Amino acid sequence: IHLERSEATLTVCRFSGNSSSSIGGALHLEDSTLILSDCTFTGNSSFSNGGAIYHREGSSSLSNCTFTNNSTSGWGGGVALAYGSLTLTGCTFSENSAQIYAGGLLSAYSSTTAQDCVFSRNSADERGGGLCSYLSTDTLTDCTFTDNTALYTGGGAFHFQGAGPTFTRCEFTGNTAGSGGGLYNWGSAPVISESIFQDNTGGGIISDVDSVPRLTDTRVCGNTAEQITGAYTDNGGNCISEECLDCDPCPGDLEGDGDVGGADLTILL
C-alpha cells in the first residue's frame, strides 16, 4: 500500500510476505496519517528502508500491533520513521533485521512515544539492534528490550547526534553489541528513571562524544564488560554494581540496616 497526503485507519489486518525494491515492504506513506490497531506484519522486506513500514512526514498511531521477521537492506527492519511523529501502544517488535541500522525501529528527525512495547531478538548488522534514534525526541515508558543484537554499537538501543530520549520503567536485558550492549549514546543526553540494565554483553550503558545521561532510581548490574562507561549524572536511588545481588535488598532486613536480627523480628511481630 502506498499513501501520499492521505489518511488511513486499519483494524485487525495482516501484512505477510510483501516486498519492495525500494522502501516500505508492506506500507509506504508520505505526508499521511495512519492509524493501526491489532495488526500483524510478518516476513515483509524492502531493499532500502522500512522492512514493513516506511513513513516520511505525517503522523502514525499504532496499538497492539506485532512486527515479526521483517527485514531491510537499509535502515529500520520493522518500521522506519522520518520527519514525522509516531505513537506506539502495546506493540511488539521481534526477530526483525536491518543490514545497516535499526533492526526493530528507526526514528529519524522525528518524535516517537512508546508505551508497554516489547523489542526482542531484533538485529542490526551495524548499530541499534532494537531501536535506533537519530536527531529525534523519544519517550519510552514500560518498554522492554531483550536479546537484541548489533555488531558495533547499541544492542538494545542506539541514540546519536542530538537525540534526547526519555526512558521510564524500561528494562534492557540480555542484549549484545560490540559496545553498549544495553544502550549506546553518541551526542545525546537520555533521561533514565526507574529502569533496569542487566546481563547485557558489551556494557550496560556506554556514552561517547558529549553524552551525559541522567539516571534516577535505576539499576545497572551484571553487564559485561562494564556497567557504565562515560560521564553520567547520578540523581540518586541508583545501584551500579557488577553483582546484581548488591542491588537487591535483603527481604528480612525490615529495619534497613543491612543485617537481619532481633530488631527486624520485633518489627515483624
Side-chain angles (χ1 to χ4, degrees):
I1 296 177
H2 180 199
L3 299 177
E4 191 166 347
R5 292 185 293 277
S6 303
E7 297 182 3
T9 299
L10 302 173
T11 304
V12 194
C13 54
R14 179 181 179 185
F15 294 83
S16 178
N18 302 286
S19 63
S20 169
S21 60
S22 180
I23 53 181
L27 292 175
H28 174 192
L29 300 97
E30 300 275 352
D31 192 17
S32 296
T33 299
L34 176 67
I35 300 174
L36 295 178
S37 61
D38 299 296
C39 293
T40 62
F41 294 80
T42 306
N44 303 287
S45 63
S46 69
F47 178 76
S48 186
N49 302 323
I53 298 177
Y54 177 83
H55 195 171
R56 179 184 174 91
E57 300 182 339
S59 62
S60 295
S61 178
L62 282 60
S63 61
N64 301 317
C65 292
T66 301
F67 297 84
T68 305
N69 198 32
N70 302 287
S71 62
T72 181
S73 300
W75 297 41
V79 175
L81 173 70
Y83 301 99
S85 65
L86 173 64
T87 300
L88 299 168
T89 306
C91 293
T92 298
F93 294 78
S94 64
E95 299 181 346
N96 304 288
S97 62
Q99 291 188 16
I100 304 181
Y101 288 14
L105 170 65
L106 169 69
S107 177
Y109 301 98
S110 298
S111 173
T112 296
T113 300
Q115 172 89 38
D116 295 315
C117 291
V118 174
F119 297 82
S120 67
R121 300 187 303 280
N122 303 287
S123 63
D125 287 358
E126 295 190 16
R127 309 178 197 277
L131 166 68
C132 177
S133 178
Y134 175 61
L135 284 171
S136 294
T137 301
D138 302 326
T139 302
L140 294 95
T141 306
D142 297 316
C143 293
T144 62
F145 293 79
T146 305
D147 297 331
N148 302 286
T149 61
L151 181 61
Y152 299 139
T153 54
F158 176 58
H159 290 264
F160 70 117
Q161 293 194 7
T166 298
F167 295 102
T168 303
R169 296 186 302 276
C170 292
E171 295 186 11
F172 291 75
T173 58
N175 303 287
T176 301
S179 182
L183 174 64
Y184 191 99
N185 306 301
W186 195 91
S188 67
V191 176
I192 304 170
S193 61
E194 301 177 73
S195 296
I196 296 173
F197 294 79
Q198 183 173 325
D199 299 330
N200 301 288
T201 300
I205 301 174
I206 306 297
S207 299
D208 196 5
V209 189
D210 299 324
S211 297
V212 184
R214 288 168 282 174
L215 275 64
T216 305
D217 297 328
T218 290
R219 180 167 71 178
V220 186
C221 66
N223 303 285
T224 57
E226 300 294 337
Q227 307 310 311
I228 297 183
T229 298
Y232 68 95
T233 300
D234 187 341
N235 287 333
N238 302 301
C239 180
I240 301 170
S241 175
E242 293 184 4
E243 298 293 336
C244 290
L245 287 176
D246 296 340
C247 298
D248 293 322
C250 180
D253 182 18
L254 303 180
E255 192 182 26
D257 61 357
D259 295 312
V260 179
D264 302 297
L265 182 58
T266 300
I267 293 174
L268 182 62
L269 297 176

